[in-house]
Amino acid sequence: SGDSAPLNEAMAVLQHHDAVSGTARQNVANDYARQLAAGWGPCEVLVSNALAMLSHEKQNFSFCRELNISICPVSQKSEHFQVTIYNPLGRKVQQMIRLPVNDGIFFVKDPNGKTVPSNVVMRPNSYSKRYQWDLLFPAFVPALGFSMYSVAKVTAATSQAYRLRARSKKSR
Amino acid sequence: SHVLFIENEYIRATFDSGTGLLMKIENMEQSLSLPVSQGFFWYNASTGDGKSSQASGAYIFRPNHLKPMPVSRWAQVHLVKTALVQEVHQNFSAWCSQVVRLYPGQRHLELEWMVGPIPVKDGWGKEVISRFDTPLKTQGEFYTDSNGREILKRRRNHRPTWRLNQTEPVAGNYYPVNTRIYISDGHTQLTVVTDRSQGGSSLQDGSLELMVHRRLLLDDGRGVQEPLMELGTGSTVLGRHLVLLSSVSDAAARHRLLAEKEILAPQVVLSQGGSSPYYYW
Protein backbone atom coordinates (compact mmCIF):
# COMPACT_ATOMS: atom_id res chain seq x y z
CA SER A 1 0.00 0.00 0.00
CA GLY A 2 1.11 3.52 -0.73
CA ASP A 3 1.49 6.29 1.81
CA SER A 4 2.11 10.01 1.49
CA ALA A 5 2.55 10.61 5.24
CA PRO A 6 6.36 10.05 5.30
CA LEU A 7 6.83 12.66 2.55
CA ASN A 8 4.46 15.02 4.39
CA GLU A 9 6.59 14.66 7.51
CA ALA A 10 9.87 15.07 5.65
CA MET A 11 8.56 18.25 3.98
CA ALA A 12 7.38 19.58 7.35
CA VAL A 13 10.83 19.01 8.88
CA LEU A 14 12.54 20.64 5.91
CA GLN A 15 10.31 23.70 5.93
CA HIS A 16 10.57 24.15 9.69
CA HIS A 17 14.35 23.85 9.63
CA ASP A 18 14.96 26.29 6.76
CA ALA A 19 16.43 23.49 4.63
CA VAL A 20 17.71 25.72 1.88
CA SER A 21 20.80 24.64 0.01
CA GLY A 22 23.87 25.93 1.79
CA THR A 23 22.20 27.07 5.00
CA ALA A 24 22.89 23.84 6.84
CA ARG A 25 26.01 21.79 7.45
CA GLN A 26 26.61 19.31 4.66
CA ASN A 27 25.86 16.25 6.82
CA VAL A 28 22.52 17.83 7.80
CA ALA A 29 21.71 18.60 4.15
CA ASN A 30 22.52 14.97 3.32
CA ASP A 31 20.06 13.87 5.99
CA TYR A 32 17.34 16.13 4.54
CA ALA A 33 17.94 14.50 1.15
CA ARG A 34 17.72 11.05 2.75
CA GLN A 35 14.39 11.92 4.40
CA LEU A 36 12.96 13.25 1.14
CA ALA A 37 14.03 10.18 -0.82
CA ALA A 38 12.62 7.86 1.85
CA GLY A 39 9.35 9.83 1.79
CA TRP A 40 9.03 9.67 -1.99
CA GLY A 41 9.29 5.84 -2.15
CA PRO A 42 5.81 5.08 -0.69
CA CYS A 43 4.40 8.01 -2.74
CA GLU A 44 5.43 6.22 -5.92
CA VAL A 45 3.30 3.27 -4.80
CA LEU A 46 0.42 5.66 -4.07
CA VAL A 47 0.65 7.22 -7.55
CA SER A 48 0.91 3.77 -9.19
CA ASN A 49 -2.24 2.67 -7.34
CA ALA A 50 -4.08 5.84 -8.36
CA LEU A 51 -3.10 5.45 -12.02
CA ALA A 52 -4.08 1.76 -11.97
CA MET A 53 -7.44 2.65 -10.47
CA LEU A 54 -8.11 5.45 -12.95
CA SER A 55 -6.99 3.50 -16.01
CA HIS A 56 -8.31 0.09 -14.84
CA GLU A 57 -4.94 -1.36 -15.80
CA LYS A 58 -2.23 -2.57 -13.44
CA GLN A 59 1.27 -1.89 -14.70
CA ASN A 60 4.79 -1.79 -13.36
CA PHE A 61 5.21 1.95 -13.42
CA SER A 62 8.71 3.33 -13.49
CA PHE A 63 9.53 6.69 -11.95
CA CYS A 64 12.72 8.09 -13.40
CA ARG A 65 14.14 10.02 -10.46
CA GLU A 66 17.02 11.32 -12.54
CA LEU A 67 15.06 12.54 -15.56
CA ASN A 68 16.21 16.06 -14.70
CA ILE A 69 19.76 15.01 -15.52
CA SER A 70 18.61 12.88 -18.48
CA ILE A 71 19.03 9.45 -17.03
CA CYS A 72 16.14 7.03 -17.53
CA PRO A 73 16.83 3.32 -17.88
CA VAL A 74 13.34 2.62 -19.29
CA SER A 75 13.43 5.09 -22.17
CA GLN A 76 17.10 4.44 -22.91
CA LYS A 77 17.04 0.66 -22.94
CA SER A 78 13.50 -0.38 -23.93
CA GLU A 79 12.39 -1.13 -27.46
CA HIS A 80 8.81 -0.36 -26.45
CA PHE A 81 7.38 1.58 -23.50
CA GLN A 82 4.40 3.65 -22.42
CA VAL A 83 4.45 7.23 -21.20
CA THR A 84 1.73 8.33 -18.80
CA ILE A 85 1.42 12.09 -18.41
CA TYR A 86 -0.68 13.49 -15.58
CA ASN A 87 -1.83 17.12 -15.68
CA PRO A 88 -2.54 18.65 -12.26
CA LEU A 89 -3.93 21.86 -13.79
CA GLY A 90 -7.62 22.61 -14.14
CA ARG A 91 -7.25 23.23 -17.87
CA LYS A 92 -5.99 21.11 -20.74
CA VAL A 93 -2.37 21.59 -21.69
CA GLN A 94 -0.04 20.78 -24.52
CA GLN A 95 3.40 19.77 -23.33
CA MET A 96 6.49 18.88 -25.30
CA ILE A 97 7.79 15.65 -23.74
CA ARG A 98 11.56 15.08 -23.70
CA LEU A 99 12.96 11.69 -22.82
CA PRO A 100 16.58 10.57 -22.96
CA VAL A 101 17.04 7.79 -25.52
CA ASN A 102 19.82 6.04 -27.33
CA ASP A 103 20.17 7.05 -30.96
CA GLY A 104 17.48 5.74 -33.31
CA ILE A 105 14.07 6.33 -34.82
CA PHE A 106 10.87 6.01 -32.80
CA PHE A 107 7.14 5.69 -33.48
CA VAL A 108 4.98 7.52 -30.96
CA LYS A 109 1.23 6.91 -30.76
CA ASP A 110 -1.36 8.95 -28.88
CA PRO A 111 -4.13 7.46 -26.69
CA ASN A 112 -6.29 6.97 -29.82
CA GLY A 113 -3.57 5.02 -31.60
CA LYS A 114 -2.74 7.83 -34.03
CA THR A 115 0.89 8.44 -34.87
CA VAL A 116 2.28 11.61 -33.30
CA PRO A 117 5.15 13.57 -34.89
CA SER A 118 8.40 13.00 -33.06
CA ASN A 119 12.05 13.96 -33.38
CA VAL A 120 15.25 12.67 -31.87
CA VAL A 121 17.42 15.69 -31.14
CA MET A 122 21.00 15.98 -30.02
CA ARG A 123 21.71 17.21 -26.51
CA PRO A 124 24.46 19.79 -26.02
CA ASN A 125 27.91 18.21 -25.79
CA SER A 126 28.52 20.00 -22.51
CA TYR A 127 25.57 18.28 -20.80
CA SER A 128 26.70 14.70 -20.93
CA LYS A 129 29.21 12.63 -22.76
CA ARG A 130 27.23 9.41 -22.26
CA TYR A 131 23.65 10.38 -23.11
CA GLN A 132 23.40 12.48 -26.20
CA TRP A 133 19.88 12.12 -27.56
CA ASP A 134 16.41 13.20 -26.52
CA LEU A 135 13.15 11.91 -27.94
CA LEU A 136 10.72 14.78 -28.41
CA PHE A 137 6.99 14.64 -29.01
CA PRO A 138 4.00 16.88 -28.25
CA ALA A 139 1.46 15.51 -25.77
CA PHE A 140 -2.06 16.74 -25.08
CA VAL A 141 -3.34 16.15 -21.57
CA PRO A 142 -6.89 16.89 -20.33
CA ALA A 143 -7.63 19.04 -17.28
CA LEU A 144 -6.91 17.15 -14.03
CA GLY A 145 -6.38 13.99 -16.05
CA PHE A 146 -3.83 11.90 -17.85
CA SER A 147 -2.91 10.68 -21.32
CA MET A 148 -0.99 7.53 -22.22
CA TYR A 149 1.34 7.56 -25.20
CA SER A 150 3.15 4.50 -26.51
CA VAL A 151 6.67 4.65 -27.89
CA ALA A 152 8.32 1.98 -30.05
CA LYS A 153 11.87 2.01 -31.29
CA VAL A 154 12.19 1.27 -34.97
CA THR A 155 14.14 -1.89 -35.58
CA ALA A 156 14.43 -3.68 -38.92
CA ALA A 157 11.51 -5.91 -37.93
CA THR A 158 9.19 -3.13 -36.64
CA SER A 159 10.04 -0.95 -39.62
CA GLN A 160 9.04 -3.74 -42.03
CA ALA A 161 5.87 -4.46 -40.05
CA TYR A 162 4.99 -0.76 -40.08
CA ARG A 163 5.56 -0.52 -43.84
CA LEU A 164 3.45 -3.62 -44.45
CA ARG A 165 0.65 -2.28 -42.24
CA ALA A 166 0.76 1.07 -44.01
CA ARG A 167 0.67 -0.63 -47.44
CA SER A 168 -2.24 -2.94 -46.51
CA LYS A 169 -4.21 0.01 -45.09
CA LYS A 170 -3.59 1.94 -48.30
CA SER A 171 -4.76 -0.94 -50.51
CA ARG A 172 -7.89 -1.34 -48.44
CA SER B 1 28.73 36.09 -41.51
CA HIS B 2 25.01 35.35 -41.58
CA VAL B 3 22.30 36.26 -39.10
CA LEU B 4 21.56 33.47 -36.68
CA PHE B 5 17.98 33.19 -35.49
CA ILE B 6 15.32 30.80 -34.24
CA GLU B 7 11.64 31.52 -34.71
CA ASN B 8 8.12 30.17 -34.56
CA GLU B 9 4.81 31.82 -35.42
CA TYR B 10 5.00 34.14 -32.38
CA ILE B 11 8.63 34.73 -31.40
CA ARG B 12 11.92 35.33 -33.14
CA ALA B 13 15.23 35.37 -31.25
CA THR B 14 18.25 36.72 -33.08
CA PHE B 15 21.84 36.02 -32.13
CA ASP B 16 25.02 37.92 -32.91
CA SER B 17 26.85 35.60 -35.29
CA GLY B 18 30.17 37.07 -34.14
CA THR B 19 29.75 36.56 -30.39
CA GLY B 20 27.02 33.90 -30.34
CA LEU B 21 25.10 35.93 -27.75
CA LEU B 22 21.38 36.71 -27.80
CA MET B 23 20.91 40.07 -29.52
CA LYS B 24 17.20 40.68 -30.08
CA ILE B 25 13.78 39.26 -29.20
CA GLU B 26 10.74 39.97 -31.37
CA ASN B 27 7.10 39.36 -30.53
CA MET B 28 5.69 39.04 -34.05
CA GLU B 29 2.10 38.78 -32.85
CA GLN B 30 2.27 42.26 -31.33
CA SER B 31 4.95 43.69 -33.63
CA LEU B 32 7.28 44.31 -30.70
CA SER B 33 11.04 44.23 -31.03
CA LEU B 34 13.53 44.61 -28.20
CA PRO B 35 17.32 44.47 -28.35
CA VAL B 36 18.25 42.07 -25.54
CA SER B 37 21.78 41.07 -24.70
CA GLN B 38 21.98 38.09 -22.35
CA GLY B 39 25.04 36.53 -20.80
CA PHE B 40 26.54 35.04 -17.65
CA PHE B 41 28.64 37.02 -15.16
CA TRP B 42 30.10 36.38 -11.74
CA TYR B 43 30.54 38.54 -8.66
CA ASN B 44 33.71 38.08 -6.69
CA ALA B 45 32.62 37.14 -3.18
CA SER B 46 33.83 39.41 -0.40
CA THR B 47 36.17 37.96 2.20
CA GLY B 48 35.72 41.05 4.36
CA ASP B 49 37.10 44.56 3.86
CA GLY B 50 37.95 47.77 5.73
CA LYS B 51 34.28 48.62 6.25
CA SER B 52 33.27 45.24 7.60
CA SER B 53 34.79 41.84 8.21
CA GLN B 54 31.61 40.23 6.91
CA ALA B 55 32.37 37.58 4.26
CA SER B 56 29.96 36.36 1.63
CA GLY B 57 28.49 33.01 2.69
CA ALA B 58 25.43 30.81 2.75
CA TYR B 59 23.21 33.46 4.35
CA ILE B 60 25.07 36.59 3.23
CA PHE B 61 25.48 37.85 -0.33
CA ARG B 62 28.27 40.42 -0.31
CA PRO B 63 30.21 40.92 -3.55
CA ASN B 64 33.44 42.89 -3.27
CA HIS B 65 32.93 44.83 -6.52
CA LEU B 66 30.00 46.63 -8.11
CA LYS B 67 30.65 45.20 -11.55
CA PRO B 68 30.52 41.47 -12.19
CA MET B 69 33.02 39.76 -14.47
CA PRO B 70 31.72 38.12 -17.66
CA VAL B 71 32.09 34.33 -17.71
CA SER B 72 32.92 34.83 -21.37
CA ARG B 73 32.39 37.62 -23.90
CA TRP B 74 31.41 35.13 -26.56
CA ALA B 75 29.87 31.70 -26.83
CA GLN B 76 30.59 28.78 -29.09
CA VAL B 77 27.23 28.10 -30.75
CA HIS B 78 25.54 25.16 -32.37
CA LEU B 79 22.20 25.48 -34.14
CA VAL B 80 19.58 22.71 -34.13
CA LYS B 81 16.44 23.11 -36.22
CA THR B 82 13.83 20.37 -36.53
CA ALA B 83 10.08 20.41 -37.08
CA LEU B 84 9.43 20.18 -33.33
CA VAL B 85 12.12 22.37 -31.83
CA GLN B 86 14.65 25.06 -32.69
CA GLU B 87 17.64 25.44 -30.40
CA VAL B 88 20.82 27.43 -30.12
CA HIS B 89 23.39 25.67 -27.92
CA GLN B 90 25.74 28.22 -26.37
CA ASN B 91 28.94 27.11 -24.69
CA PHE B 92 30.44 29.94 -22.62
CA SER B 93 33.15 28.01 -20.80
CA ALA B 94 33.98 24.57 -19.46
CA TRP B 95 31.54 25.20 -16.60
CA CYS B 96 28.82 27.36 -18.14
CA SER B 97 26.52 26.57 -21.06
CA GLN B 98 23.00 27.27 -22.18
CA VAL B 99 20.34 26.14 -24.65
CA VAL B 100 17.98 28.81 -26.04
CA ARG B 101 14.91 26.94 -27.22
CA LEU B 102 11.65 27.54 -29.07
CA TYR B 103 8.86 25.02 -29.59
CA PRO B 104 6.09 25.56 -32.18
CA GLY B 105 3.13 27.49 -30.76
CA GLN B 106 5.09 28.70 -27.75
CA ARG B 107 4.85 32.38 -26.83
CA HIS B 108 7.98 32.43 -24.68
CA LEU B 109 11.67 31.82 -25.17
CA GLU B 110 13.14 29.05 -23.03
CA LEU B 111 16.67 29.43 -21.68
CA GLU B 112 18.01 26.23 -20.13
CA TRP B 113 21.31 26.92 -18.38
CA MET B 114 23.84 24.58 -16.89
CA VAL B 115 26.40 26.03 -14.49
CA GLY B 116 29.13 24.28 -12.52
CA PRO B 117 31.25 23.02 -11.01
CA ILE B 118 32.34 26.62 -10.45
CA PRO B 119 36.16 26.73 -10.43
CA VAL B 120 37.66 28.27 -7.28
CA LYS B 121 41.32 27.29 -7.61
CA ASP B 122 42.11 30.99 -8.15
CA GLY B 123 41.07 31.56 -4.54
CA TRP B 124 38.00 33.62 -5.42
CA GLY B 125 34.51 32.67 -4.33
CA LYS B 126 32.08 33.23 -7.19
CA GLU B 127 28.39 34.15 -7.35
CA VAL B 128 27.15 33.54 -10.90
CA ILE B 129 24.31 35.51 -12.49
CA SER B 130 22.41 35.51 -15.77
CA ARG B 131 21.89 39.11 -16.91
CA PHE B 132 19.56 40.57 -19.54
CA ASP B 133 20.47 44.06 -20.80
CA THR B 134 17.91 46.08 -22.77
CA PRO B 135 17.43 49.76 -23.72
CA LEU B 136 14.14 49.93 -21.74
CA LYS B 137 13.89 53.13 -19.69
CA THR B 138 12.80 51.62 -16.41
CA GLN B 139 13.57 54.59 -14.11
CA GLY B 140 15.10 52.47 -11.36
CA GLU B 141 12.04 50.28 -10.97
CA PHE B 142 11.49 46.56 -11.34
CA TYR B 143 9.02 43.99 -10.04
CA THR B 144 9.40 40.71 -8.17
CA ASP B 145 6.78 38.38 -6.79
CA SER B 146 5.95 36.60 -3.59
CA ASN B 147 4.98 33.04 -4.58
CA GLY B 148 3.19 34.45 -7.61
CA ARG B 149 0.50 35.97 -5.40
CA GLU B 150 1.58 39.52 -4.86
CA ILE B 151 3.90 41.27 -7.26
CA LEU B 152 5.74 44.10 -5.58
CA LYS B 153 7.30 47.16 -7.15
CA ARG B 154 10.96 47.50 -6.16
CA ARG B 155 12.90 50.73 -6.58
CA ARG B 156 16.67 50.81 -6.63
CA ASN B 157 18.28 52.17 -3.42
CA HIS B 158 14.87 52.85 -1.92
CA ARG B 159 12.54 51.42 0.71
CA PRO B 160 8.91 52.55 0.78
CA THR B 161 8.65 52.92 4.57
CA TRP B 162 11.98 54.38 5.72
CA ARG B 163 14.87 56.45 4.47
CA LEU B 164 17.47 53.99 3.31
CA ASN B 165 21.19 54.48 3.79
CA GLN B 166 22.39 52.05 1.13
CA THR B 167 25.66 50.45 2.23
CA GLU B 168 25.59 47.44 -0.12
CA PRO B 169 24.88 48.72 -3.65
CA VAL B 170 24.55 45.24 -5.14
CA ALA B 171 23.23 42.99 -2.37
CA GLY B 172 21.09 45.81 -0.92
CA ASN B 173 19.12 45.86 -4.16
CA TYR B 174 18.63 42.11 -4.44
CA TYR B 175 15.15 40.72 -3.75
CA PRO B 176 13.64 37.24 -3.58
CA VAL B 177 12.21 36.02 -6.88
CA ASN B 178 9.88 33.10 -6.28
CA THR B 179 8.40 32.69 -9.73
CA ARG B 180 8.99 35.87 -11.78
CA ILE B 181 10.77 39.17 -12.18
CA TYR B 182 10.04 41.86 -14.75
CA ILE B 183 10.98 45.29 -16.04
CA SER B 184 8.96 47.64 -18.21
CA ASP B 185 9.00 51.13 -19.67
CA GLY B 186 5.23 51.50 -19.46
CA HIS B 187 4.66 50.07 -22.95
CA THR B 188 6.90 47.03 -23.34
CA GLN B 189 7.53 44.45 -20.64
CA LEU B 190 10.28 41.85 -20.35
CA THR B 191 9.34 39.10 -17.89
CA VAL B 192 11.49 36.20 -16.74
CA VAL B 193 9.67 33.27 -15.13
CA THR B 194 11.96 31.06 -13.01
CA ASP B 195 11.69 27.34 -12.28
CA ARG B 196 12.83 27.82 -8.67
CA SER B 197 13.27 30.59 -6.10
CA GLN B 198 16.29 32.76 -6.83
CA GLY B 199 17.66 36.18 -5.97
CA GLY B 200 17.21 38.91 -8.55
CA SER B 201 17.62 42.61 -9.20
CA SER B 202 17.84 45.40 -11.72
CA LEU B 203 21.03 47.31 -10.95
CA GLN B 204 20.91 49.48 -14.10
CA ASP B 205 17.93 50.82 -16.00
CA GLY B 206 16.83 48.26 -18.59
CA SER B 207 18.86 45.52 -16.95
CA LEU B 208 17.59 42.45 -15.12
CA GLU B 209 19.66 39.78 -13.39
CA LEU B 210 19.10 36.52 -11.53
CA MET B 211 21.61 34.62 -9.43
CA VAL B 212 21.86 31.06 -10.71
CA HIS B 213 24.68 29.48 -8.70
CA ARG B 214 27.39 30.27 -6.14
CA ARG B 215 30.47 28.66 -4.64
CA LEU B 216 32.24 30.27 -1.72
CA LEU B 217 35.43 29.71 0.21
CA LEU B 218 34.61 31.27 3.59
CA ASP B 219 31.91 30.81 6.20
CA ASP B 220 29.79 33.92 6.78
CA GLY B 221 29.72 33.40 10.55
CA ARG B 222 25.95 32.96 10.79
CA GLY B 223 25.92 29.54 12.43
CA VAL B 224 26.57 27.06 9.61
CA GLN B 225 30.32 27.03 10.24
CA GLU B 226 31.03 25.75 6.72
CA PRO B 227 31.64 27.65 3.52
CA LEU B 228 29.02 27.17 0.78
CA MET B 229 31.18 24.68 -1.09
CA GLU B 230 29.13 21.91 -2.66
CA LEU B 231 31.28 19.01 -3.83
CA GLY B 232 28.65 16.43 -4.71
CA THR B 233 25.91 16.35 -7.34
CA GLY B 234 24.82 19.83 -6.30
CA SER B 235 28.03 21.34 -7.68
CA THR B 236 26.36 21.52 -11.11
CA VAL B 237 22.94 23.10 -11.52
CA LEU B 238 20.55 22.86 -14.45
CA GLY B 239 17.65 25.29 -14.57
CA ARG B 240 15.35 27.23 -16.85
CA HIS B 241 14.35 30.82 -17.39
CA LEU B 242 11.24 31.44 -19.48
CA VAL B 243 11.39 34.83 -21.16
CA LEU B 244 8.28 36.72 -22.25
CA LEU B 245 8.28 39.89 -24.32
CA SER B 246 4.88 41.56 -24.59
CA SER B 247 2.97 44.78 -24.21
CA VAL B 248 2.32 45.82 -20.60
CA SER B 249 -1.44 45.44 -21.04
CA ASP B 250 -1.06 41.84 -22.17
CA ALA B 251 1.82 40.74 -19.92
CA ALA B 252 -0.04 39.75 -16.73
CA ALA B 253 -2.33 37.29 -18.50
CA ARG B 254 0.65 35.65 -20.15
CA HIS B 255 3.04 35.37 -17.21
CA ARG B 256 0.33 34.15 -14.83
CA LEU B 257 -0.69 31.26 -17.10
CA LEU B 258 2.92 30.43 -17.91
CA ALA B 259 4.07 30.39 -14.27
CA GLU B 260 1.08 28.25 -13.31
CA LYS B 261 2.00 25.72 -15.99
CA GLU B 262 5.62 25.76 -14.88
CA ILE B 263 4.86 25.16 -11.21
CA LEU B 264 2.13 22.58 -11.79
CA ALA B 265 3.94 20.92 -14.68
CA PRO B 266 2.66 17.60 -16.05
CA GLN B 267 4.11 14.56 -14.28
CA VAL B 268 5.66 11.83 -16.43
CA VAL B 269 5.56 8.16 -15.44
CA LEU B 270 6.89 5.35 -17.64
CA SER B 271 6.03 1.69 -17.93
CA GLN B 272 7.12 -1.19 -20.10
CA GLY B 273 3.56 -1.99 -21.15
CA GLY B 274 2.04 -5.42 -20.71
CA SER B 275 -0.73 -4.43 -18.31
CA SER B 276 -3.30 -6.60 -16.60
CA PRO B 277 -6.89 -5.50 -15.77
CA TYR B 278 -7.23 -3.78 -12.40
CA TYR B 279 -10.40 -3.29 -10.37
CA TYR B 280 -10.12 -1.48 -7.07
CA TRP B 281 -12.68 -3.68 -5.36
Side-chain angles (χ1 to χ4, degrees):
Chain A
S1 60
D3 190 3
S4 62
L7 185 64
N8 261 342
E9 285 167 20
M11 283 301 294
V13 170
L14 262 61
Q15 289 178 345
H16 179 75
H17 289 283
D18 188 16
V20 179
S21 167
T23 57
R25 292 183 77 95
Q26 190 60 51
N27 58 349
V28 180
N30 292 345
D31 190 55
Y32 290 148
R34 183 192 59 79
Q35 289 191 46
L36 272 179
W40 177 243
C43 277
E44 286 185 349
V45 180
L46 197 70
V47 174
S48 297
N49 290 347
L51 287 172
M53 197 168 140
L54 291 168
S55 66
H56 305 295
E57 284 181 4
K58 188 176 181 297
Q59 304 201 39
N60 283 327
F61 288 111
S62 171
F63 296 78
C64 296
R65 293 188 180 190
E66 295 175 311
L67 257 186
N68 63 328
I69 52 168
S70 286
I71 297 175
C72 175
V74 175
S75 63
Q76 280 163 333
K77 291 177 183 159
S78 308
E79 299 279 300
H80 180 268
F81 57 94
Q82 285 191 328
V83 186
T84 303
I85 306 143
Y86 172 72
N87 171 24
L89 278 178
R91 57 184 158 91
K92 63 179 178 185
V93 296
Q94 184 191 355
Q95 179 83 2
M96 197 63 83
I97 302 296
R98 291 187 88 100
L99 294 169
V101 290
N102 290 329
D103 193 11
I105 302 169
F106 294 81
F107 291 136
V108 181
K109 287 189 174 174
D110 72 7
N112 299 318
K114 285 185 182 167
T115 304
V116 173
S118 62
N119 284 156
V120 174
V121 295
M122 197 175 72
R123 294 180 63 77
N125 294 334
S126 50
Y127 277 27
S128 168
K129 297 283 177 278
R130 284 179 66 195
Y131 304 109
Q132 295 192 324
W133 305 96
D134 272 348
L135 171 68
L136 207 64
F137 66 90
F140 291 86
V141 199
L144 291 169
F146 64 93
S147 296
M148 285 173 127
Y149 287 74
S150 64
V151 179
K153 188 170 185 177
V154 178
T155 57
T158 56
S159 173
Q160 197 177 4
Y162 188 81
R163 270 204 303 273
L164 281 171
R165 250 200 327 268
R167 204 181 298 157
S168 64
K169 266 184 190 169
K170 209 175 171 183
S171 63
R172 257 183 253 148
Chain B
S1 60
H2 61 282
V3 177
L4 193 66
F5 68 89
I6 52 174
E7 67 176 351
N8 65 11
E9 57 269 52
Y10 303 115
I11 302 272
R12 180 187 290 137
T14 310
F15 296 80
D16 185 318
S17 56
T19 62
L21 302 182
L22 181 65
M23 196 169 78
K24 186 167 67 174
I25 303 178
E26 289 165 88
N27 177 334
M28 294 183 296
E29 206 180 4
Q30 298 180 332
S31 301
L32 289 173
S33 175
L34 184 69
V36 180
S37 168
Q38 184 267 340
F40 291 88
F41 299 79
W42 57 273
Y43 288 106
N44 190 352
S46 177
T47 54
D49 55 22
K51 282 184 188 169
S52 165
S53 59
Q54 178 66 61
S56 213
Y59 281 95
I60 304 290
F61 170 38
R62 189 170 186 239
N64 73 354
H65 281 97
L66 276 175
K67 285 194 173 176
M69 306 277 284
V71 169
S72 174
R73 292 185 192 283
W74 62 280
Q76 199 174 32
V77 292
H78 179 79
L79 183 66
V80 175
K81 284 194 179 187
T82 73
L84 292 181
V85 73
Q86 297 190 19
E87 296 179 339
V88 172
H89 300 181
Q90 298 172 306
N91 198 14
F92 294 91
S93 73
W95 54 274
C96 182
S97 61
Q98 182 173 250
V99 178
V100 184
R101 181 178 291 145
L102 257 184
Y103 294 120
Q106 186 174 274
R107 288 185 161 87
H108 63 272
L109 195 63
E110 182 178 313
L111 275 61
E112 186 180 78
W113 36 266
M114 186 182 243
V115 179
I118 300 172
V120 287
K121 278 189 179 166
D122 53 14
W124 292 342
K126 296 178 183 67
E127 325 214 28
V128 184
I129 60 161
S130 169
R131 196 175 76 190
F132 300 79
D133 293 309
T134 74
L136 288 177
K137 292 182 172 54
T138 53
Q139 300 178 321
E141 291 177 350
F142 59 105
Y143 296 79
T144 65
D145 76 310
S146 171
N147 281 332
R149 294 190 183 96
E150 189 180 14
I151 293 180
L152 297 173
K153 183 195 281 186
R154 313 291 192 180
R155 198 190 303 168
R156 217 160 39 241
N157 300 323
H158 176 82
R159 298 290 185 274
T161 51
W162 79 94
R163 186 174 293 171
L164 175 71
N165 173 27
Q166 183 63 273
T167 55
E168 292 289 341
V170 177
N173 284 308
Y174 257 68
Y175 288 92
V177 176
N178 288 296
T179 60
R180 72 208 80 176
I181 179 169
Y182 58 80
I183 51 174
S184 101
D185 63 357
H187 302 285
T188 305
Q189 181 169 319
L190 184 76
T191 310
V192 180
V193 173
T194 61
D195 65 347
R196 69 197 66 188
S197 294
Q198 293 178 323
S201 187
S202 170
L203 297 177
Q204 301 285 332
D205 276 5
S207 171
L208 182 159
E209 64 186 63
L210 285 156
M211 188 182 289
V212 293
H213 199 14
R214 48 207 302 250
R215 193 175 192 190
L216 306 169
L217 299 166
L218 295 180
D219 175 46
D220 57 10
R222 302 281 156 160
V224 180
Q225 296 181 310
E226 275 178 3
L228 203 163
M229 167 71 85
E230 179 67 61
L231 298 168
T233 49
S235 62
T236 302
V237 290
L238 176 70
R240 294 189 306 148
H241 288 154
L242 310 180
V243 181
L244 277 164
L245 172 71
S246 58
S247 63
V248 169
S249 59
D250 193 44
R254 293 191 177 194
H255 68 66
R256 282 183 193 282
L257 288 173
L258 180 62
E260 200 177 62
K261 194 179 164 194
E262 181 65 15
I263 292 161
L264 294 171
Q267 304 293 306
V268 177
V269 189
L270 305 185
S271 56
Q272 298 272 15
S275 62
S276 55
Y278 176 86
Y279 306 100
Y280 67 87
W281 57 84

